[in-house]
Amino acid sequence: MANRSSDIIAALTKGLRVIEAFDAHHPRLSVSEAAARTGLDRATARRCLLTLVAEGYALHDGKYFTLTPRVLRLGMAALATLPLAQIVQPWLDQLSERVGQSASVAIRDETEIVYLARAAQRRVMSIGLMPGSRLPAHCTSLGRVLLAALPEPQARAIVERSDLAPRTALSLTDPEEIMARIAAAREEGHAIIDQEVEIGLCSIAVPLLDSRGRTVAALNLGMAATQDRAAAMVGRYLPEMRRVQAGLARVIG
């Protein structure tokens, strides 16, 4: 049943837009900046920001607003209700222990991936990854596997509206090169990233399928680039990942 306009709470919609205006590149926003990023007028943006402060979701230093960790409750509560995260966690824990590397499961949200579950052996990235963390889809092994599950025109449209600014000197920035890697992932059933996200980090990913063969998420292993060059990762880790892939296909609805 379609939502009637009378069912929509406009103030809540505006407040959510203000929360989404904050990101890694905009951790602090003034009223003017929040208005510009949301398309709201200054007065509405200001009321939304002050409401977030009053409810403990933001801080205000007199000019700039910043979100507080309380905002994480919103995302973590949503993730916690997803059965998939609960299903995959023990499989991740056991896989990570067997191979001695960090394992993660993620889904795609527009041009980004969102981590649902993670089992970390050691920290190999400068940023700490946890459920709810986001990275660009086009330059991650998880993201390329998820994009490979889409029809080529849809995957291309997502790549073309992504921020392709290089994260390292090895990052691919040409949409055609990225699409070629996505096509390879579609053909081979896995994707490998060699230091495109961060120097010193390699990863390999496979799709996670439901009982009908549809890709619902992606699984990866991440490791230091000095441990295993990309060419060696397939033989060493892919068989274990395939076993987890097959096991989860039997239990994912």
Side-chain angles (χ1 to χ4, degrees), residues 129-213:
L129 294 176
M130 64 185 69
S133 294
R134 290 173 174 263
L135 286 174
H138 72 275
C139 63
T140 55
S141 61
L142 291 161
R144 287 185 185 167
V145 162
L146 293 169
L147 290 170
L150 301 175
E152 193 274 345
Q154 186 177 349
R156 180 178 293 276
I158 291 170
V159 169
E160 290 180 348
R161 67 172 183 264
S162 298
D163 179 0
L164 302 183
R167 296 176 66 95
T168 77
L170 299 176
S171 298
L172 299 183
T173 58
D174 181 357
E176 293 304 322
E177 289 187 55
I178 295 169
M179 289 304 301
R181 298 296 178 89
I182 292 171
R186 186 179 295 117
E187 180 178 348
E188 297 168 2
H190 68 269
I192 291 176
I193 293 294
D194 189 0
Q195 304 183 84
E196 289 189 51
V197 176
E198 185 168 311
I199 292 297
L201 174 70
C202 287
S203 66
I204 180 171
V206 298
L208 290 182
L209 311 175
D210 64 13
S211 57
R212 285 168 283 188

Side-chain angles (χ1 to χ4, degrees), residues 108-122:
R108 185 183 60 83
D109 180 19
E110 294 296 333
T111 62
E112 298 179 312
I113 57 166
V114 183
Y115 284 78
L116 287 186
R118 183 164 167 79
Q121 286 289 316
R122 58 186 63 84

Side-chain angles (χ1 to χ4, degrees), residues 7 11 19 43 71 94 127 130 137-138 142 174 181 238 245:
D7 293 329
I19 291 175
V71 171
Q94 293 176 29
I127 59 172
M130 64 185 69
H138 72 275
L142 291 161
D174 181 357
R181 298 296 178 89
L238 194 57
Q245 182 188 48

Side-chain angles (χ1 to χ4, degrees), residues 95-96 98-102 122 190 192 202-206 219-224 227-244:
L95 174 63
S96 180
R98 284 199 304 272
V99 302
Q101 304 293 353
S102 297
R122 58 186 63 84
H190 68 269
I192 291 176
C202 287
S203 66
I204 180 171
V206 298
L219 160 72
N220 89 339
L221 291 173
M223 65 235 31
Q227 291 179 312
D228 293 279
R229 299 309 299 171
M233 293 168 61
V234 172
R236 182 164 185 178
Y237 299 113
L238 194 57
E240 285 286 350
M241 297 177 75
R242 291 292 189 212
R243 279 192 277 273
V244 172

